[in-house]
Amino acid sequence: MVTRAGIVVTGTEVLTGRVPDRNGPWLAEQLRRLGLDVGHVVVVGDRPEDLRATLSFLAGLGTELLITTGGLGPTADDLTAQVVAEFQGRPSAVDPALEGRVAAVVERLMARRGWVADPAATAAGVRKQATVPAGATVLEPVGTAPGLVVPPADGRAGPPVVVLPGPPGELRGMWPAAVAAPAVGAVLAGAAELRQETLRLWGTLEAQLAATLREMEAELADLEITTCLREGELEIVTRFPAQAQPAYDRFAGLLGREYASTVFSTGPTLDELVAAALAERGLTIATGESCTGGLLAARLTERPGSSTYVLGGVTAYANGAKEELLGVPRAVLAEHGAVSPEVARALADGARARFGADLGVGITGVAGPGGGTDAKPVGTVHLCVVGPDGAVAERALGLHGSRSAVRDRSVTMALHLLRELLLGGPPA
Amino acid sequence: MVTRAGIVVTGTEVLTGRVPDRNGPWLAEQLRRLGLDVGHVVVVGDRPEDLRATLSFLAGLGTELLITTGGLGPTADDLTAQVVAEFQGRPSAVDPALEGRVAAVVERLMARRGWVADPAATAAGVRKQATVPAGATVLEPVGTAPGLVVPPADGRAGPPVVVLPGPPGELRGMWPAAVAAPAVGAVLAGAAELRQETLRLWGTLEAQLAATLREMEAELADLEITTCLREGELEIVTRFPAQAQPAYDRFAGLLGREYASTVFSTGPTLDELVAAALAERGLTIATGESCTGGLLAARLTERPGSSTYVLGGVTAYANGAKEELLGVPRAVLAEHGAVSPEVARALADGARARFGADLGVGITGVAGPGGGTDAKPVGTVHLCVVGPDGAVAERALGLHGSRSAVRDRSVTMALHLLRELLLGGPPA
């Protein structure tokens, strides 16, 4: 029997897209590891009646644990704690000891930033944040807002509600305390382990895979399989209870044989594969980017420990910069134009030479929306990777979509080119 | 009377956080411009019963327009069209003309990528994607999947459901056709314009603002005000019907006077302000980054037309690269260490000189999780901007949070430093 959880993300700023929700997905993954299956993530604005209706909806579905994020600030539109208290039938009151601790945190914060505020206004905000439903477990603030675990009032049925703050750093810092709360522990005790495995294919049509899955249908009863096509990569994620491990192993083995020429990973992401290959082989890398403007360097250095293999990179938007900083010959620029395989090669060679790296990557193209011509329309991108032993991998792309789509896809393709050069597998 | 819409994002890959939802926020903004108010964005997995329950929940709230995204692919877990058809009480059948058009799209796509697939498998996927509820409006595919507008069956009550594909480029390309469908037009005809204005403050405590809002409460009846604190920026977004414009103007005027020293924008984002200042004054910029690894260059070049003012940047992770590519003196590195105000200054000077730019930005720090010391813990970051007339703005930061939080916040602070140097206003 699956134990289900529901997540409610509050905040008009999330609902209207001004702030992306980083909490729902993170919580869904934490809950999965604890054996809980998340059925819904609901984003609602700062309106009490919408939040109330959502809590009722999820509780009515048989959800055994509810989690809310956001709406714990000092302003009037932050109303989660109050709505949850009413939903669970518990009266609220100021917790004086908590009020003192929150006040101390706010004072420290203001001192560090050098901000000043009216003491009465600050005190009112603190009092609001220290107002707690009777019988709730208080989760100590990581920022200024305390979290809560609020079980239904005695004699009432329904799931406990975990009330967490909106800022992702605060929420994550508070999570261990939430999991340790007695009301949450009681739910987790009934949850069974739920495993998750991933296969990644490059160069297989989703419809082809669908046919394979239909043929195997009888053997897949205990596996929950979802496929997702993203930037050309076909990702197959399977979730299953521990006892279905043999069934998954048979499934993965079969797919591995059927799609031997396109499976490039049995778990790690493209970024993880490239990083591991560089680190394990002690190779260093440098980038020479034009249209992607530093995105490849930023993506390579996103990973902790990347300073052991990333030496650096040059973003050379202007032609002068391509010549000066990466030694792209003026004659090559004049003859072939900045967007050409020759310049991609020269950028890769230049990055490799200037940084003294084992590998160099060059990217040049037209990201748009302006700058396209008949011969080189928006989306024309040339990639080149030069390897340690003189190996070269090149690729010309004709991409579609927005400026950000062209830039993102170019960086992903450069990583596939690196993967191909370092590890073999399906061609980029 | 407000006309409300609800958005349902389907896909286990979104629910579990493997893919961020880019459609919900975008649709919420489009709907707002059309005068519709979005009450909920619900993310559900690829399970028919969860999708069905969500459609019922939203329709039961009096929602007048429902939009679904995703679940239109050729695999068995793509079930949105079928569930919506049943929900609206309409039988489905293959549309042979549409089947032909989808087949042609799939063939072109495979040819371009050089992929091969079993013709029977491909045909089955195409047939699935061309299966349409009776009486629905078909939205021509932008990728391979057609969209749908499905009104309730004759004699039934309830909102029409707009069924859109998951890939953001396809969804956006299809949106004009969805808005033009008769069933959607009928809903929009009843919607009134809903305006939205934004004020941005830097250096005001949220609790202080809350006190001001409480004092003004009587005058704010027609304004829906939400405040959001993000990376130190306090964003005040107000939504109101057209007739409340004078009330908003009074509110904005009052806040502008009360918070004159911290309001830095009456609309544009930080990035937009910096880009406009550079473009309007004909200034060029170059970056010298260490711990942010190209993120600042990538963020500056995200904007269309940025090539007129961004000359380029160097990511210098290794000390050798700082010396070679940006001329940071070895003695400065040895004496002060790579993470120091002196090196931030040298990176800014070096970037400015090497690229021949009007402005140079230098960033050096410890992004973590490793590399921290007692004297320079993780989160220590030094920023420097050198301007055209020898003006210099510097800042030392002690940031908290993850590697990505430290990198993102450093880039945001560098943009505030640029804003301060170019435009004045609250100090970074």
Side-chain angles (χ1 to χ4, degrees):
Chain A
M1 188 49 210
V2 176
T3 307
R4 295 195 83 182
I7 299 171
V8 186
V9 175
T10 75
T12 302
E13 70 277 12
V14 180
L15 186 63
T16 55
R18 298 199 305 280
V19 178
D21 170 36
R22 298 207 286 135
N23 293 328
W26 187 86
L27 286 169
E29 175 59 17
Q30 302 310 308
L31 290 167
R32 184 192 65 74
R33 289 186 193 171
L34 294 168
L36 269 64
D37 187 43
V38 174
H40 296 77
V41 176
V42 184
V43 184
V44 295
D46 298 313
R47 293 178 189 138
E49 64 279 14
D50 287 351
L51 176 53
R52 222 171 281 133
T54 304
L55 293 172
S56 297
F57 165 58
L58 293 175
L61 289 177
T63 305
E64 290 170 64
L65 182 68
L66 289 177
I67 301 187
T68 70
T69 77
L72 299 184
T75 48
D77 60 351
D78 292 307
L79 40 76
T80 306
Q82 192 187 330
V83 170
V84 170
E86 287 163 16
F87 178 75
Q88 298 289 47
R90 294 184 175 273
S92 292
V94 175
D95 176 335
L98 181 61
E99 188 180 9
R101 296 200 295 279
V102 174
V105 171
V106 172
E107 261 169 52
R108 268 203 307 280
L109 182 79
M110 290 176 60
R112 202 171 72 209
R113 293 221 170 120
W115 290 359
V116 284
D118 173 34
T122 312
V126 168
R127 205 154 42 243
K128 179 181 175 307
Q129 294 187 298
T131 303
V132 171
T137 304
V138 172
L139 309 172
E140 279 304 305
V142 172
T144 65
L148 299 166
V149 177
V150 190
D154 297 337
R156 280 204 186 196
V161 183
V162 179
V163 178
L164 297 173
E170 296 186 30
L171 177 139
R172 294 177 193 195
M174 205 176 276
W175 181 242
V179 170
V184 177
V187 174
L188 294 179
E193 185 194 359
L194 202 59
R195 297 186 180 171
Q196 179 172 304
E197 296 287 348
T198 305
L199 290 169
R200 300 174 194 282
L201 280 60
W202 182 254
T204 285
L205 200 71
E206 202 174 3
Q208 176 73 61
L209 180 72
T212 307
L213 293 179
R214 271 195 299 275
E215 278 168 27
M216 299 174 70
E217 206 171 353
E219 304 158 56
L220 306 180
D222 294 334
L223 310 177
E224 187 195 356
I225 300 168
T226 54
T227 63
C228 172
L229 183 66
R230 188 163 74 253
E231 306 222 355
E233 176 183 326
L234 190 54
E235 187 185 67
I236 307 167
V237 177
T238 309
R239 303 170 75 185
F240 52 89
Q243 67 269 23
Q245 183 72 51
Y248 178 75
D249 293 341
R250 277 194 303 277
F251 168 63
L254 239 151
L255 275 196
R257 285 188 294 279
E258 184 124 349
Y259 294 101
S261 63
T262 61
V263 172
F264 72 89
S265 171
T266 54
T269 63
L270 174 60
D271 295 56
E272 287 165 349
L273 286 174
V274 168
L278 292 169
E280 280 162 21
R281 286 155 68 173
L283 297 171
T284 57
I285 188 167
T287 59
E289 301 180 64
S290 183
C291 64
T292 49
L295 266 188
L296 175 60
R299 187 153 157 189
L300 287 170
T301 58
E302 205 175 281
R303 310 182 60 74
S306 51
S307 59
T308 57
Y309 51 85
V310 178
L311 297 184
V314 169
T315 299
Y317 241 46
N319 274 351
K322 293 184 182 73
E323 288 177 44
E324 288 294 317
L325 279 108
L326 288 171
V328 177
R330 185 170 298 187
V332 173
L333 283 164
E335 189 181 343
H336 302 283
V339 177
S340 61
E342 292 80 5
V343 168
R345 173 69 193 261
L347 289 169
D349 282 335
R352 185 165 173 258
R354 293 290 164 105
F355 287 89
D358 297 308
L359 292 107
V361 187
I363 307 180
T364 180
V366 188
T373 63
D374 283 350
K376 295 174 184 179
V378 169
T380 305
V381 178
H382 295 278
L383 306 173
C384 180
V385 178
V386 180
D389 43 9
V392 177
E394 293 177 296
R395 186 73 199 261
L397 308 174
L399 300 172
H400 296 269
S402 65
R403 177 177 178 86
S404 90
V406 169
R407 283 159 47 102
D408 288 346
R409 178 65 78 93
S410 300
V411 169
T412 297
M413 288 299 298
L415 286 168
H416 270 294
L417 213 54
L418 271 166
R419 171 189 61 71
E420 184 189 345
L421 194 97
L422 290 165
L423 297 164
Chain B
M1 188 49 210
V2 175
T3 307
R4 296 195 80 182
I7 299 171
V8 186
V9 175
T10 75
T12 302
E13 70 277 12
V14 180
L15 186 63
T16 55
R18 298 198 305 280
V19 178
D21 170 37
R22 297 207 285 137
N23 293 329
W26 187 86
L27 286 169
E29 175 60 16
Q30 303 310 308
L31 291 167
R32 185 193 64 76
R33 290 186 192 170
L34 295 168
L36 269 64
D37 187 43
V38 174
H40 297 77
V41 176
V42 185
V43 184
V44 296
D46 298 314
R47 292 176 189 137
E49 64 278 16
D50 287 350
L51 177 53
R52 222 172 282 132
T54 303
L55 293 171
S56 297
F57 165 57
L58 294 175
L61 290 177
T63 305
E64 291 172 61
L65 182 67
L66 289 177
I67 301 188
T68 70
T69 76
L72 299 183
T75 49
D77 59 353
D78 292 306
L79 38 77
T80 306
Q82 193 187 330
V83 170
V84 170
E86 287 164 15
F87 178 75
Q88 297 290 45
R90 294 185 174 272
S92 292
V94 175
D95 175 334
L98 181 60
E99 187 180 10
R101 297 199 295 279
V102 174
V105 171
V106 172
E107 260 169 53
R108 267 203 308 278
L109 182 78
M110 291 176 59
R112 202 171 73 208
R113 294 221 169 120
W115 290 0
V116 286
D118 173 35
T122 312
V126 168
R127 204 154 44 243
K128 179 181 174 308
Q129 293 186 299
T131 302
V132 170
T137 304
V138 172
L139 309 173
E140 279 305 305
V142 172
T144 66
L148 299 166
V149 177
V150 190
D154 297 337
R156 279 205 187 197
V161 183
V162 180
V163 179
L164 298 173
E170 295 185 30
L171 177 139
R172 294 176 193 196
M174 205 177 274
W175 181 244
V179 170
V184 177
V187 174
L188 295 179
E193 185 194 358
L194 202 58
R195 296 187 181 171
Q196 178 172 305
E197 296 288 347
T198 306
L199 290 169
R200 299 174 194 282
L201 281 60
W202 182 254
T204 285
L205 200 71
E206 202 174 3
Q208 177 73 62
L209 181 71
T212 306
L213 294 179
R214 271 195 300 274
E215 279 166 27
M216 300 176 68
E217 206 171 355
E219 303 158 57
L220 306 179
D222 294 335
L223 309 176
E224 187 194 359
I225 299 167
T226 54
T227 62
C228 172
L229 182 67
R230 188 163 74 254
E231 306 221 354
E233 176 184 325
L234 190 54
E235 188 184 66
I236 307 169
V237 177
T238 309
R239 302 169 76 185
F240 51 90
Q243 68 270 23
Q245 184 71 51
Y248 178 75
D249 292 341
R250 276 194 304 278
F251 168 64
L254 239 150
L255 275 195
R257 285 188 296 278
E258 183 123 350
Y259 295 100
S261 63
T262 61
V263 172
F264 73 89
S265 171
T266 54
T269 63
L270 173 61
D271 295 56
E272 286 165 351
L273 286 173
V274 168
L278 291 168
E280 280 163 20
R281 288 154 67 172
L283 297 171
T284 58
I285 189 168
T287 58
E289 300 180 64
S290 182
C291 63
T292 49
L295 267 187
L296 175 60
R299 187 153 156 189
L300 287 169
T301 58
E302 206 174 282
R303 310 183 61 75
S306 51
S307 59
T308 56
Y309 51 86
V310 178
L311 297 185
V314 169
T315 299
Y317 242 46
N319 275 349
K322 292 183 183 75
E323 289 177 43
E324 288 293 316
L325 279 108
L326 289 172
V328 177
R330 185 170 297 188
V332 171
L333 283 165
E335 190 181 342
H336 303 283
V339 177
S340 61
E342 291 79 5
V343 169
R345 172 69 193 260
L347 289 168
D349 282 335
R352 185 165 173 259
R354 293 289 165 106
F355 287 89
D358 297 309
L359 291 108
V361 187
I363 307 180
T364 179
V366 188
T373 63
D374 283 350
K376 296 173 183 177
V378 169
T380 306
V381 178
H382 295 278
L383 306 173
C384 180
V385 179
V386 180
D389 44 8
V392 177
E394 293 177 295
R395 186 76 198 260
L397 308 174
L399 300 172
H400 295 270
S402 65
R403 178 178 178 86
S404 90
V406 168
R407 281 159 47 103
D408 288 344
R409 177 65 78 95
S410 299
V411 169
T412 297
M413 288 299 298
L415 288 167
H416 270 294
L417 214 54
L418 272 166
R419 172 189 60 70
E420 185 189 343
L421 194 98
L422 290 165
L423 297 165

